[in-house]
Amino acid sequence: QEQLVESGGGVVQPGRSLRLSCVASGFTLSTYAMHWVRQAPGKGLEWVAVISYDGTNKYYADSVKGRFTISRDNSKNTLYLQMNSLREEDTAVYYCASALVVAAAFDYWGQGTLVTVSS
Amino acid sequence: QSVLTQPPSASGTPGQRITISCSGSGSNIESNTINWYLQLPGAAPKLLIYGNNQRPSGVPDRFSGSKSGTSASLAISGLQSEDEADYYCAAWDDSLNGWVFGGGTKLTVL
């Protein structure tokens, strides 16, 4: 059964960094584009970033551009999100999700990992 | 403010048919396909409709999607109590070069 499991969340002070990971099981990550989507407490979904199956194309939401970096290691079936210069407004549950291609629907989602940015 | 506009809430009684709207612009809904996601309380989102009107395997045919111009709709017929959830529309935006979501609609089954 296809499954995505995120990890790496936690409490971090403003201005610090954090790296999230998303490991796939039951399917090969290398054939899918991968997304990060976040949800602030009590709020709606916000798309964060996407990376193509081979890592050559990356797109970011304006709110994270220049601070966050999406990457992948297909040999480890793992997706990453490096988050630098964190702000309190980055506090959210971060989900990873797979898609056939960058502009296709997000078909499988992980359960999410909570990132809290607070002093 | 979300790029795609949804009503914040909707409600219906069991067995009823309801629709949830999603309004966008020429750079997102009009130019690209729309997808719908369902999020049950405390759970991760799940794909409900893709490609405007396609249902993934396992999604009941009570759920249907449509699109016209810069707007789209999700219809749920034969409403059931387990349909109580948040519903989100999403589309690729050619101007932003990224994905945009609607603000979400909280469906209550009375």
Side-chain angles (χ1 to χ4, degrees):
Chain A
Q1 184 178 354
E2 298 85 357
Q3 192 175 10
L4 293 167
V5 178
E6 302 93 337
S7 62
V11 180
V12 62
Q13 292 179 326
R16 304 298 292 265
S17 299
L18 204 61
R19 189 177 82 157
L20 305 183
S21 299
C22 167
V23 178
S25 60
F27 69 105
T28 303
L29 204 71
S30 62
T31 59
Y32 290 88
M34 293 297 297
H35 297 264
W36 287 101
V37 177
R38 67 184 181 183
Q39 186 170 34
K43 302 296 184 182
L45 300 175
E46 179 189 14
W47 173 78
V48 173
V50 62
I51 185 169
S52 58
Y53 76 100
D54 59 358
T56 55
N57 294 304
K58 304 175 185 180
Y59 301 93
Y60 298 91
D62 286 344
S63 58
V64 306
K65 205 171 289 183
R67 299 188 299 124
F68 289 12
T69 301
I70 189 171
S71 63
R72 64 193 301 158
D73 186 338
N74 286 337
S75 68
K76 296 181 179 178
N77 234 23
T78 303
L79 171 75
Y80 302 101
L81 185 67
Q82 178 67 42
M83 304 185 295
N84 298 332
S85 303
L86 281 162
R87 306 166 180 168
E88 290 189 353
E89 54 264 35
D90 295 319
T91 293
V93 173
Y94 285 73
Y95 297 100
C96 62
S98 63
L100 289 178
V101 293
V102 164
F106 312 161
D107 43 17
Y108 295 110
W109 296 66
Q111 286 305 301
T113 186
L114 176 61
V115 172
T116 302
V117 184
S118 173
S119 55
Chain B
Q1 292 284 31
S2 302
V3 174
L4 303 183
T5 301
Q6 297 180 238
S9 63
S11 63
T13 55
Q16 194 176 9
R17 180 180 186 273
I18 65 101
T19 61
I20 296 172
S21 63
C22 176
S23 177
S25 68
S27 63
N28 42 65
I29 293 180
E30 188 165 43
S31 305
N32 300 291
T33 58
I34 190 94
N35 307 306
W36 291 90
Y37 300 90
L38 169 156
Q39 186 175 33
L40 293 168
K46 168 189 164 184
L47 180 62
L48 189 63
I49 297 286
Y50 68 96
N52 300 329
N53 55 18
Q54 303 298 304
R55 286 185 307 277
S57 173
V59 173
D61 58 6
R62 301 187 296 107
F63 295 89
S64 62
S66 64
K67 186 184 90 166
S68 178
T70 59
S71 294
S73 290
L74 171 72
I76 309 174
S77 60
L79 206 57
Q80 299 178 4
S81 58
E82 52 261 42
D83 296 334
E84 273 207 350
D86 293 324
Y87 293 82
Y88 295 90
C89 58
W92 176 264
D93 192 296
D94 293 333
S95 295
L96 297 175
N97 246 357
W99 281 86
V100 290
F101 279 94
T105 298
K106 184 175 185 63
L107 174 63
T108 301
V109 180
L110 303 169

